[in-house]
Amino acid sequence: MAHVELSLSGAFVPQARTPDESEFVSNIDRWAATVWQAVEPCLVIDVSATVVAVSPSASDLLGLGKGADVVGRPLLGGEGALRLIDFTAGGGDLAEPEIEKIPPLLALTSEQLTRGLMRIQPPADDRHVTVDAIATPILENGRVVASLTFFSAIRY
């Protein structure tokens, strides 16, 4: 019969450590830094639907101009970065109940991954662009603080 012997040399006591600087950076700031350098069209908005960060390719796709000019502005509305239009031939303004369902906003309120089509008319432009948008909430201490949205142009 085999014999197994166990010996303990002392109790394990975890050592105190100094927190890394990265532990003091919020999730929204981490994602914003990533989005600024992303190749993919994406953006981050906070819970008040204010643009926090936008990738260069998202700025181009959505007709936003320089990304830095959009930061701090509302995503939608009077001074908003985007004008949402409906899918009718005339492309009228999207109704308020439908605006609440666009992925970047719905991810904030539902606290879930969301996906949908958006038709956008860039500022000072007659053209429109249709995008497939996938958004996820960004959490901090169990609360939604922002949403991260990726866009893909629908070509037709």
Side-chain angles (χ1 to χ4, degrees):
M1 175 174 239
H3 176 72
V4 178
E5 188 174 314
L6 175 66
S7 68
L8 298 174
S9 58
F12 173 73
V13 178
Q15 298 296 315
R17 63 180 183 85
T18 305
D20 292 335
E21 184 178 309
S22 66
E23 292 181 30
F24 297 110
V25 177
S26 70
N27 283 345
I28 194 169
D29 290 336
R30 281 191 191 114
W31 280 109
T34 302
V35 164
W36 280 118
Q37 298 180 26
V39 174
E40 298 82 6
C42 52
L43 69 81
V44 174
I45 61 169
D46 64 15
V47 290
S48 65
T50 300
V51 177
V52 175
V54 60
S55 69
S57 57
S59 289
D60 291 341
L61 176 64
L62 304 175
L64 299 177
K66 293 182 180 179
D69 295 340
V70 180
V71 172
R73 290 178 44 201
L75 181 65
L76 306 168
E79 292 296 315
L82 300 179
R83 178 178 173 242
L84 299 174
I85 56 176
D86 61 26
F87 286 95
T88 63
D93 287 335
L94 199 61
E96 189 66 35
E98 297 302 314
I99 290 174
E100 296 169 1
K101 296 176 187 173
I102 66 167
L105 300 180
L106 190 56
L108 294 172
T109 57
S110 71
E111 300 182 6
Q112 297 180 19
L113 183 71
T114 60
R115 182 176 187 183
L117 295 177
M118 296 170 52
R119 190 173 182 204
I120 299 163
Q121 184 171 12
D125 199 338
D126 290 336
R127 70 180 179 93
H128 69 270
V129 62
T130 301
V131 294
D132 182 11
I134 300 175
T136 186
I138 297 174
L139 302 174
E140 187 85 43
N141 298 322
R143 288 183 25 245
V144 173
V145 293
S147 73
L148 167 65
T149 306
F150 289 90
F151 300 98
S152 179
I154 304 294
R155 311 274 187 220
Y156 49 88

